[in-house]
Amino acid sequence: MQNFDLAQTFQLDGLDVRGRLVRLGPTLDQILKSHDYPDVVAEMLAETLALGATLASILKYDGLFTLQVQSDGPISLLVADLTSEGDLRGYARFDADRVAQAETQEGAKVPRLLGAGHLAFTVDQGPDTERYQGIVALEGGTLAACAQNYFRNSEQLETVIFLGSAKSTDGYKSGAVLVQRMPSDKKKDKDEAHEEWHRTVVLLSSLKLEELLDQNLSPQDMLYRLYHDDGIRAYEPKILQHKCRCSREKVATTLKSLPRDEVTGDDGGALVNCEFCATDYEFTQSDLDAIYGDKIYGTPKA
Ligand SMILES: [Zn+2]
């Protein structure tokens, strides 16, 4: 599908505003397809993935970006992670009964489906590097509102995010547009600067979810429609794809770090499911002998 699975940087030259546009289509569908989430859980994960890709695209990093939303409500965990190569994956944890109950209720999504908790993101660039971390309480009706609070409180940057998802006959789609007011190096009076930011926000609020997720509308055309009077400059989009980094070797390493009796099932083996991509890794008793017997895992047994 053209026009999807990308993150695009743009700026409004006339207005000291930087922006990001993210659109997820087939990639999102692949992530959700490997699970059987209730619609509202799929929807929240779809938004988390779009938000994660948006936040990641603001940061310059070489490694792994992770966004986690943890809370005490029906959906207790939403995770999205994205490598600097554009490999995206994610999963959700939830209580099916509580989700079913929350679905019958009305009200803003965050208090209803997530409850109290926080939204946190980290950037991991490998050993011997400092982890970058941002965290904000889930105070807001939507994930976008919570993320906006983070930028206002922690970065002192006025930010507005339009975030949404939809399910149609051709699958799930989600998207986000972020605009952020940058410190100006030009001499402008306060009123003028305030007026410009106000204009940026008002124009973004005219965007409709159908336009954000319209597969016949290119990202460039969509942005041009919004900001053609304000010196919009869009850069080459970054392509995103679904890819899980799990492997039998990594699972074996994790098993080895745990006490054997904790992982062993009734048949003496172990079954490990990757929460991201739902792949099952099966280990027989003799596989576990090899793992826990301090032999190098993977070498042929005598
Ligand atoms: Zn996996």
Side-chain angles (χ1 to χ4, degrees):
M1 195 187 293
Q2 247 192 328
N3 299 329
F4 277 81
D5 298 333
L6 52 87
Q8 176 139 32
T9 296
F10 64 91
Q11 77 190 47
L12 306 180
D13 281 342
L15 304 183
D16 297 313
V17 167
R18 72 171 174 183
R20 296 291 186 275
L21 163 67
V22 166
R23 273 176 163 189
L24 300 176
T27 289
L28 172 66
D29 228 29
Q30 275 177 28
I31 294 171
L32 295 174
K33 206 168 56 188
S34 56
H35 303 276
D36 190 18
Y37 294 136
D39 281 349
V40 285
V41 176
E43 219 174 85
M44 288 306 277
L45 183 58
E47 289 189 14
T48 304
L49 288 157
L51 180 62
T54 305
L55 300 181
S57 71
I58 294 176
L59 302 161
K60 286 192 180 69
Y61 69 101
D62 183 10
L64 180 67
F65 170 93
T66 305
L67 172 65
Q68 285 205 0
V69 185
Q70 266 180 307
S71 57
D72 64 2
I75 302 174
S76 55
L77 182 66
L78 293 160
V79 182
D81 80 26
L82 180 63
T83 66
S84 33
E85 282 76 47
D87 294 342
L88 182 67
R89 60 179 194 168
Y91 71 91
R93 277 190 207 151
F94 62 98
D95 180 310
D97 291 341
R98 291 178 73 193
V99 165
Q101 200 189 355
E103 269 181 300
T104 65
Q105 294 162 351
E106 284 180 20
K109 286 186 207 169
V110 166
R112 187 164 51 94
L113 298 167
L114 302 177
H118 63 263
L119 179 157
F121 57 91
T122 52
V123 174
D124 188 346
Q125 305 196 86
D128 307 320
T129 57
E130 217 169 298
R131 266 164 93 96
Y132 178 84
Q133 183 157 29
I135 187 161
V136 69
L138 291 178
E139 285 164 357
T142 61
L143 287 180
C146 298
Q148 284 166 196
N149 287 341
Y150 167 78
F151 285 108
R152 190 173 305 123
N153 302 340
S154 302
E155 310 258 327
Q156 274 79 50
L157 286 173
E158 288 294 334
T159 305
V160 174
I161 304 169
F162 181 88
L163 176 67
S165 66
K167 185 188 181 183
S168 65
T169 45
D170 54 353
Y172 277 98
K173 293 195 193 83
S174 67
V177 181
L178 169 146
V179 287
Q180 201 159 60
R181 181 180 183 179
M182 302 312 288
S184 178
D185 50 4
K186 299 173 202 113
K187 280 208 179 84
K188 277 180 194 165
D189 70 57
K190 256 191 173 165
D191 287 349
E192 192 187 350
H194 182 79
E195 184 52 42
E196 286 183 358
W197 174 242
H198 181 67
R199 175 183 165 76
T200 308
V201 174
V202 168
L203 288 172
L204 181 59
S205 68
S206 72
L207 180 67
K208 294 186 175 61
L209 184 62
E210 302 85 75
E211 291 175 290
L212 176 62
L213 304 181
D214 181 352
Q215 66 191 72
N216 298 315
L217 183 62
S218 74
Q220 292 79 0
D221 287 349
M222 197 203 87
L223 291 170
Y224 186 78
R225 265 192 204 176
L226 277 179
Y227 292 118
H228 55 89
D229 283 336
D230 301 296
I232 173 104
R233 189 143 48 111
Y235 296 84
E236 193 64 27
K238 184 183 171 83
I239 304 302
L240 308 175
Q241 61 276 326
H242 173 227
K243 193 173 173 197
C244 192
R245 296 186 307 286
C246 68
S247 68
R248 196 170 169 84
E249 286 68 29
K250 281 184 188 168
V251 175
T253 307
T254 308
L255 285 178
K256 202 176 173 175
S257 71
L258 300 164
R260 182 166 179 172
D261 57 353
E262 268 182 29
V263 304
T264 308
D266 292 340
D267 62 351
L271 181 67
V272 180
N273 175 262
C274 173
E275 282 189 285
F276 281 100
C277 68
T279 301
D280 278 332
Y281 292 95
E282 247 183 287
F283 295 84
T284 62
Q285 189 164 3
S286 59
D287 288 337
L288 293 183
D289 287 344
I291 292 170
Y292 287 95
D294 269 318
K295 293 177 197 159
I296 296 165
Y297 184 68
T299 49
K301 289 178 212 90

